[in-house]
Amino acid sequence: MEARVQRELYDQMVLIRTYEEAILREYHADKKPVFDIGAGLVPGEMHLSAGQEPVAAGVCAHLTTDDAVTATHRPHHFAIAHGIDLNAMTAEIFGRVDGLGKGRGGHMHLFDPKTHFSCSGIIAEGYPSAAGAALAFKKRGTGQIAVGVTGEGAANQGAFHETLNLASLWKLPAVFIVEDNDWGISVPRSASTCVASNAERAAAYGMPGIRIEDNAVEAVYEAAGHAVERARNGGGPTLIEVHTLRLWGHFEGDAQGYRSDIEGVPGQDPIPTYEATLRSAGVLDDAAVVETQTRATELVESAIAFAKASPEPDPSTVLDYVFA
Amino acid sequence: MTTTTEQSSKRLNTAKAMVEAIASEMERDENVFVLGEDVGPYGGIFSSTTGLIDRFGPERVMDTPISETAFIGAAIGAATEGMRPIVELMFVDFFGVCMDQIYNHMAKIHFESGGNVKVPMVLMTAVGGGYSDGAQHSQCLWGTFAHLPGMKVVVPSNPADAAGLMTAAIRDDNPVVFMFHKGVMGLPWMAKNPRSIGPVPDGDHVVEIGKAATPRRGSDVTVVTLSLSVHHALDVAEELAGEGVDVEVIDLRSIVPLDTEAILESVGRTGHLVIVDEDYQSFGLSGEIAARIAESDPTILKSPISRVAVPDVSIPYSRSLEYAALPTRARIKAAILEQVSK
């Protein structure tokens, strides 16, 4: 792989992690000494994507902001990798008026027409609308594609199966991603399906299914490259499952008492792993690592500052935007 | 905004009127397309898309698999990308299988996005009973959708309104749930109401969503209703005219938005109100109308209101039982007579 691409993938993953760490910090900052989910600068549930950066970085490297992405309730890594405006996204997470949804959506409901990005709080809900975006692109012959993202828990949902069938039937320019982080909240994959790999399920819908082990960003990049090319060239959809890693809890405040794999998890963190690979390949050195981190920190802290400076929405506008 | 071209109209049944409205919008705007179950060569189970595939081809009139979540969700995705899909799910009773896409996704995107993403789509479906199709094929359920914010709910009762409201629904930037009663479609295989065939104005005929109609003026009692029950109410009104009772009939035409002003104005004149609703009685449209009057000015009522609705029971199969549950002419007549006797 070209060093330029490797560096881009690394930089993207670092930016995502830096962002998630900053949100984690802000989320917990004023929820002490007693944790209150609705209190503080960042209220509500918070689902962070630490550990899953390779999926978003590897897939979105092949997309432009003209392509659509429908992500899950754990959306930040895909939003960032797809090029969403960091300030507007952060202001939305803080519930502020300059947010993507002017404070109506929150972190699970980020909608950005500029990058054709959306996400939702319901399992597998975004798969059908990814197919619909792809249908619109196909009808118009624009060459755009749509990427739908779910977790492995969603692969047992009707919306998942219906969408794969429909997208394959209509040969839609779409790529479907399954992030298998092994856990559907507290239920391990082994307790939710007998299928070893959700990629096998693609065969039932007449589309290629690929599973990538080891949370390897370069493997995701390669597979997504083929799938995106196939979609753009009219070959129809592809399903890619990535065996990734949920480094933290399902949501912030989740003590993960149910989790049997917690001991070995920190050692599998994909960012230091990839950094070590790139260092030994001569792509990264100390200066490059510092440069990447510095740039990421500046971007993220600037977005956090922007969000904090943005006002709360005016309560008198509560009924706005129900109808167009 | 209601445009009625008096000099030029054609007589159509409601189904054909809807098809003509869809066709004319498809000709006007290439972003409009139709998808759903049996909308292609079959022409829609209740003839709502008959002939469209011959005129526009399978690219714009798309038969879908029986995958309501996927194809309604696909319509949502296409709408957010600027298309204007019309999606049919043949019976409203089936909406449970894809309700998430409807009330959590379609109806909420505009709000959640702070107005940045529009979902201009029409979700059309057949409602209502009266032909022994049983508890899972005979409901109206419009109150359910009206209760959940973010979608308009349109329920025409006649061909002209069906055409004009369909045109308005397609051009609307909001998701519109368009519910047509099987009994008003004028289908050859169903008992026909004489008003299911009527004049439809030529040209750009648009009926504004949110404005009730008053198909019959009267001074003694107001009947507020919609859909097939409008016809029942008009039939009863004609009968009662011979008995010296002057009934006003209001056809709501849409329940989101609800034309509260038209109801208050009429009841303000008559002082007596009968609400006829083929949906379940409790926690629904009839209760909402009563509440709006109570909140506005309950003193306009000369007597307590009467409700003729489905008495909170699933629609039975057997003809005798079904008609015991539905808002029949007999029940409407009794309610009116009770009102004017108070």
Side-chain angles (χ1 to χ4, degrees):
Chain A
M1 182 176 281
E2 275 182 71
R4 178 188 56 82
V5 176
Q6 291 176 312
R7 179 70 193 269
E8 280 170 13
L9 294 173
Y10 173 76
D11 286 1
Q12 191 68 263
M13 294 202 293
V14 169
L15 175 63
I16 294 165
R17 179 67 60 84
T18 304
Y19 187 83
E20 296 285 65
E21 284 172 345
I23 293 293
L24 183 69
R25 181 192 73 214
E26 296 298 329
Y27 184 77
H28 286 290
D30 44 12
K31 285 189 172 60
K32 289 169 185 167
V34 180
F35 183 79
D36 175 353
I37 197 164
L41 278 175
V42 184
E45 273 188 81
M46 177 54 64
H47 314 83
L48 297 173
S49 61
Q52 299 183 189
E53 296 90 349
V55 193
V59 171
C60 294
H62 300 283
L63 307 180
T64 77
T65 51
D66 288 335
D67 297 314
V69 174
T70 68
T72 70
H73 62 286
R74 195 182 304 286
H76 303 166
H77 54 326
F78 266 93
I80 293 169
H82 193 47
I84 211 165
D85 182 276
L86 221 49
N87 287 0
M89 170 172 159
T90 310
E92 187 59 29
I93 292 170
F94 277 69
R96 303 304 174 91
V97 77
D98 295 305
L100 288 166
K102 305 185 179 76
R104 271 77 176 173
H107 109 99
M108 286 186 276
H109 311 289
L110 305 167
F111 289 88
D112 180 27
K114 288 191 197 115
T115 59
H116 302 260
F117 181 88
S118 65
C119 55
S120 95
I122 308 287
I123 297 304
E125 191 182 69
Y127 253 38
S129 50
L135 177 63
F137 300 152
K138 185 180 180 184
K139 281 180 176 294
R140 289 176 170 160
T142 56
Q144 293 160 276
I145 70 160
V147 175
V149 186
T150 64
E152 91 290 342
N156 304 310
Q157 262 280 0
F160 174 89
H161 296 276
E162 288 189 25
T163 302
L164 294 187
N165 181 61
L166 195 73
S168 190
L169 181 72
W170 288 349
K171 272 198 158 202
L172 296 178
V175 178
F176 295 101
I177 305 296
V178 177
E179 295 182 287
D180 174 12
N181 64 19
D182 284 322
W183 295 95
I185 307 186
S186 68
V187 176
R189 178 161 51 90
S190 59
S192 57
T193 178
C194 297
V195 180
S197 155
N198 285 304
E200 290 173 17
R201 290 173 149 169
Y205 306 108
M207 73 169 77
I210 297 150
R211 181 171 164 97
I212 293 157
E213 293 293 349
D214 302 330
N215 211 13
V217 66
E218 293 192 8
V220 177
Y221 178 88
E222 294 293 345
H226 293 302
V228 167
E229 190 184 355
R230 181 177 137 86
R232 284 202 209 282
N233 294 337
T238 303
L239 178 69
I240 299 173
E241 179 167 67
V242 184
H243 192 195
T244 186
L245 169 70
R246 196 187 81 202
L247 203 48
W248 301 337
H250 165 69
F251 57 90
E252 283 315 306
D254 174 6
Q256 300 197 83
Y258 53 83
R259 201 155 165 181
S260 51
D261 63 345
I262 202 81
E263 292 290 314
V265 161
Q268 301 163 18
D269 186 333
I271 294 180
T273 305
Y274 195 48
E275 186 182 309
T277 304
L278 296 192
R279 277 179 186 269
S280 32
V283 175
L284 281 180
D285 56 17
D286 285 350
V289 168
V290 169
E291 181 191 81
T292 295
Q293 187 59 63
T294 304
R295 183 178 159 275
T297 302
E298 280 171 9
L299 276 170
V300 168
E301 294 308 327
S302 158
I304 300 269
F306 175 86
K308 286 180 174 175
S310 175
E312 289 264 352
D314 179 347
S316 72
T317 65
V318 64
L319 299 182
D320 288 1
Y321 311 119
V322 175
F323 289 110
Chain B
M1 188 169 143
T2 305
T3 55
T4 309
T5 319
E6 297 292 345
Q7 69 277 18
S8 176
S9 69
K10 50 196 171 293
R11 287 183 64 79
L12 300 173
N13 69 15
T14 304
K16 185 73 176 159
M18 282 171 58
V19 170
E20 288 300 310
I22 293 169
S24 122
E25 289 308 291
M26 287 179 78
E27 273 161 13
R28 201 179 68 88
D29 183 351
E30 62 181 17
N31 291 308
V32 179
F33 70 103
V34 179
L35 73 167
E37 294 159 349
D38 305 288
V39 298
Y42 193 106
I45 292 297
F46 299 104
S47 303
S48 54
T49 58
T50 300
L52 287 176
I53 195 165
D54 303 323
R55 289 159 79 173
F56 298 99
E59 296 291 318
R60 294 186 72 194
V61 184
M62 307 174 73
D63 269 335
T64 61
I66 303 166
S67 298
E68 292 83 359
T69 295
F71 72 73
I72 289 179
I76 297 166
T80 61
E81 289 297 338
M83 305 288 290
R84 289 185 174 270
I86 301 165
V87 56
E88 174 165 301
L89 205 186
M90 53 178 78
F91 289 83
V92 75
D93 313 75
F94 303 170
F95 279 34
V97 299
C98 51
M99 196 61 171
D100 173 63
Q101 289 291 332
I102 297 168
Y103 84 106
N104 265 328
H105 209 36
M106 178 185 88
K108 288 180 179 168
I109 288 173
H110 185 264
F111 179 79
E112 290 172 325
S113 72
N116 288 321
V117 181
K118 292 183 173 65
V119 190
M121 63 184 279
V122 180
L123 174 53
M124 68 174 176
T125 188
V127 302
Y131 63 117
S132 287
D133 219 11
Q136 296 177 341
H137 290 69
S138 303
Q139 300 172 98
C140 285
L141 296 181
W142 43 59
T144 301
F145 301 93
H147 180 67
L148 301 161
M151 54 198 140
K152 294 186 176 178
V153 180
V154 169
V155 193
S157 69
N158 62 63
D161 285 355
L165 287 166
M166 176 58 78
T167 303
I170 296 168
R171 294 180 189 177
D172 203 297
D173 278 341
N174 294 286
V176 179
V177 181
F178 189 103
M179 311 173 93
F180 53 85
H181 198 294
K182 302 136 195 167
V184 307
M185 293 293 268
L187 304 172
W189 47 279
M190 230 174 231
K192 268 196 279 302
N193 187 294
R195 295 182 204 85
S196 59
I197 296 174
V200 177
D202 287 332
D204 199 40
H205 169 59
V206 183
V207 174
E208 184 182 353
I209 299 172
K211 294 282 179 221
T214 308
R216 192 181 197 284
R217 286 265 167 200
S219 55
D220 294 335
V221 56
T222 300
V223 177
V224 172
T225 188
L226 72 172
S227 190
L228 182 65
S229 300
V230 172
H231 303 295
H232 298 334
L234 289 170
D235 291 343
V236 171
E238 281 163 25
E239 202 180 314
L240 285 175
E243 299 173 28
V245 179
D246 194 13
V247 179
E248 177 146 314
V249 178
I250 292 187
D251 178 353
L252 291 171
R253 303 201 285 197
S254 73
I255 55 177
V256 178
L258 182 67
D259 193 347
T260 310
E261 208 172 292
I263 299 167
L264 291 173
E265 189 279 325
S266 176
V267 178
R269 277 188 288 105
T270 65
H272 295 284
L273 173 61
V274 176
I275 304 164
V276 183
D277 183 9
E278 201 184 311
D279 201 352
Y280 303 119
Q281 177 160 316
S282 298
F283 315 104
L285 175 64
S286 62
E288 180 61 32
I289 291 169
R292 289 196 189 192
I293 291 173
E295 285 169 339
S296 169
D297 183 5
T299 65
I300 63 174
L301 290 167
K302 294 175 186 157
S303 61
I305 62 158
S306 302
R307 292 199 270 173
V308 183
V310 175
D312 303 333
V313 61
S314 296
I315 308 293
Y317 164 70
S318 168
R319 189 173 296 119
S320 60
L321 294 176
E322 182 178 26
Y323 279 87
L326 291 173
T328 55
R329 291 179 186 83
R331 287 178 63 202
I332 296 167
K333 185 177 178 182
I336 292 171
L337 290 174
E338 195 198 345
Q339 274 294 323
V340 293
S341 73
K342 285 176 181 171

